[in-house]
């Protein structure tokens, strides 16, 4: 079982609508959780990074929340744009960062924004 | 601008030949770099962790003799796919860890498309 589970696997929304992506993790102890946006054929780009003590962090129209007790995070996209069409990946860093397994990746949510 | 540069972005090679992909941290020193492989519509799969000045640590199932990793300097790691076969065609991405006062930050390269014909 993957230590980082994302849902939904894919999502289609209309331009201008809001959406929320979910990330549940079991990595423990955990250091920080990151959300990345990956356009097709490109490297991932960081959207937010939160430590275990942070509950929410915003980056423009992207707002990430974190509940370290329930080990859940969400990424909320407001007023979606066509350029938001991409894969969104949740990545968790373990507290014991030995350098070998710095990151645990979710399988991603593929978002498609339609006009 | 990009802080981790990968080159080439796209490469086509003949089956049986070797191809080298470079990963450079542009404005920071990276003692640790990571190499990933990504198949279409799938998430990134860690292949190996590259530490400057030492041997890379490979994930289970990744052939170290086929995927040669060299991290000779604090700003450069290379991945060489030796004796490439069509099944090696994939998207390869590197990332580099920058250690700062606020903690670790991971930057990804733009990726390299490898097509073996």
């Amino acid at each position: 079982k993957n230590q980082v589970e994302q849902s939904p696997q894919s999502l289609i929304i209309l331009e201008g609508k809001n959406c929320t992506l979910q990330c549940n993790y079991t990595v423990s102890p955990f250091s920080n959780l990151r959300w990345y946006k990956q356009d097709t054929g490109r490297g991932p780009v960081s959207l937010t990074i939160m430590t275990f003590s942070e509950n929410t962090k915003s980056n423009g129209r992207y707002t990430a929340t974190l509940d370290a007790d329930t080990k859940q995070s969400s990424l909320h996209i407001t007023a979606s744009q066509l350029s938001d069409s991409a894969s969104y990946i949740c990545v968790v860093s373990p507290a014991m960062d030995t350098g070998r397994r710095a990151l645990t990746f979710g399988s991603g949510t593929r978002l498609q924004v339609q006009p | 601008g990009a802080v981790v540069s990968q080159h080439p972005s796209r490469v086509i090679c003949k089956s049986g030949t070797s191809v080298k992909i470079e990963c450079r941290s542009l404005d920071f020193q990276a003692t640790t770099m990571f190499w990933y492989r990504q198949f279409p519509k799938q998430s990134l799969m860690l292949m190996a962790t590259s530490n400057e000045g030492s041997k890379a640590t490979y994930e289970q199932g990744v052939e170290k003799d086929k995927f040669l990793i060299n991290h000779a300097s604090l700003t450069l790691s290379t991945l060489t796919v030796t004796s490439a076969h069509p099944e090696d065609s994939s998207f390869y991405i590197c990332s580099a860890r920058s250690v700062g006062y606020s903690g670790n930050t991971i930057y990804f390269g733009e990726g390299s498309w490898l097509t073996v014909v």
Side-chain angles (χ1 to χ4, degrees):
Chain A
K1 180 174 169 65
N2 196 358
Q3 293 188 56
V4 179
E5 297 279 353
Q6 288 189 243
S7 62
Q9 210 172 34
S10 61
L11 181 63
I12 300 175
I13 61 173
L14 294 177
E15 186 178 11
K17 297 295 185 182
N18 304 335
C19 68
T20 301
L21 314 180
Q22 299 290 343
C23 174
N24 297 340
Y25 63 93
T26 59
V27 176
S28 182
F30 117 99
S31 174
N32 59 65
L33 185 146
R34 315 159 194 252
W35 282 94
Y36 285 89
K37 176 187 178 186
Q38 184 181 20
D39 293 310
T40 301
R42 307 289 295 275
V45 174
S46 180
L47 295 176
T48 62
I49 177 171
M50 291 183 292
T51 65
F52 65 90
S53 61
E54 295 177 290
N55 300 121
T56 185
K57 182 160 285 188
S58 291
N59 178 3
R61 293 180 297 102
Y62 302 103
T63 299
T65 64
L66 174 64
D67 186 333
D69 292 330
T70 61
K71 295 184 170 58
Q72 295 180 327
S73 175
S74 65
L75 179 68
H76 187 74
I77 304 175
T78 304
S80 61
Q81 300 176 358
L82 298 179
S83 59
D84 292 331
S85 297
S87 288
Y88 292 83
I89 305 171
C90 173
V91 186
V92 178
S93 290
M96 296 297 293
D97 184 354
T98 64
R100 172 178 168 82
R101 290 182 179 275
L103 306 174
T104 302
F105 287 82
S107 56
T109 293
R110 292 193 302 279
L111 173 66
Q112 184 179 350
V113 180
Q114 293 183 340
Chain B
V3 294
V4 174
S5 173
Q6 267 188 254
H7 178 80
S9 58
R10 290 182 179 274
V11 58
I12 301 173
C13 70
K14 291 184 178 181
S15 185
T17 62
S18 297
V19 61
K20 181 185 289 187
I21 301 170
E22 293 185 347
C23 178
R24 294 181 184 272
S25 57
L26 297 183
D27 53 8
F28 65 96
Q29 293 183 334
T31 56
T32 305
M33 290 186 174
F34 306 88
W35 286 96
Y36 304 86
R37 185 174 182 176
Q38 187 176 33
F39 292 106
K41 298 184 179 181
Q42 295 188 22
S43 188
L44 286 77
M45 293 176 51
L46 180 64
M47 298 175 65
T49 302
S50 167
N51 294 298
E52 186 267 339
S54 65
K55 291 183 178 180
T57 303
Y58 290 81
E59 294 301 298
Q60 190 174 10
V62 178
E63 299 176 58
K64 61 180 181 181
D65 293 330
K66 180 171 184 60
F67 299 99
L68 301 179
I69 292 173
N70 184 282
H71 194 159
S73 77
L74 288 171
T75 59
L76 174 64
S77 177
T78 60
L79 169 68
T80 301
V81 182
T82 63
S83 186
H85 290 101
E87 56 266 29
D88 296 325
S89 299
S90 186
F91 190 50
Y92 293 87
I93 305 175
C94 73
S95 68
R97 180 163 58 188
S98 171
V99 179
Y101 294 108
S102 59
N104 297 338
T105 302
I106 304 290
Y107 296 98
F108 285 86
E110 284 292 302
S112 299
W113 283 102
L114 170 63
T115 302
V116 184
V117 297

